[in-house]
Each structure stands twice: as C-alpha cells, then as structure tokens.
Amino acid sequence: MATVLIADDEINLRKVLCALLAKDRHETIAVEDGLLALAAVEEQDVDILITDLKMPGMDGLALLDAVQQR
C-alpha cells in the first residue's frame, strides 16, 4: 500500500480523506499547510501527495514546485 500525504487547511477534509484511505490500508500523514507538508516529505518516504491549492504559508502550487525540485 501507499503512504499518502494530505496537505489541507480544512481539518474535516483531512479527516475524511484519512478515513477513506485507511479503509484501503494506505498509511496517511495529514498536515494543515504547505510548510509542514514539505517537512514531512523531507522526513519520510511519501508515495502520493494530495494538496489544497490555497493554504496559509506555502500554497499548494509552491509546495508541488518544492517537492518536484527535491
């Protein structure tokens, strides 16, 4: 199964996505902004990144650019 990182500033959406992915036995990491997501990518192996576009701090597009450069 995959390790999925969810970056979204809406807690309810993070909870729902984690629950749905856990049903399929995926490991999930949920964070509330792009900076925390980038830190998680640097600390752990992540197979899939699901991100919101508009978040405080680093937005989703900047996060994707930073992960791609990594």
Side-chain angles (χ1 to χ4, degrees):
M1 296 301 140
T3 300
V4 182
L5 172 59
I6 301 163
D8 197 302
D9 57 337
E10 293 184 33
I11 190 168
N12 289 332
L13 185 56
R14 290 194 312 265
K15 287 181 180 180
V16 168
L17 288 173
C18 285
L20 289 171
L21 291 164
K23 283 185 178 182
D24 289 333
R25 300 184 188 168
H26 296 292
E27 180 183 340
T28 58
I29 305 163
V31 297
E32 62 267 15
D33 64 44
L35 294 173
L36 291 172
L38 188 56
V41 167
E42 292 175 356
E43 293 173 5
Q44 303 177 50
D45 288 330
V46 173
D47 300 305
I48 300 168
L49 169 59
I50 299 173
T51 184
D52 189 3
L53 290 179
K54 293 183 180 181
M55 295 182 289
M58 178 184 284
D59 69 19
L61 291 177
L63 171 60
L64 291 175
D65 285 340
V67 169
Q68 188 174 27
Q69 289 178 13
R70 182 183 172 275

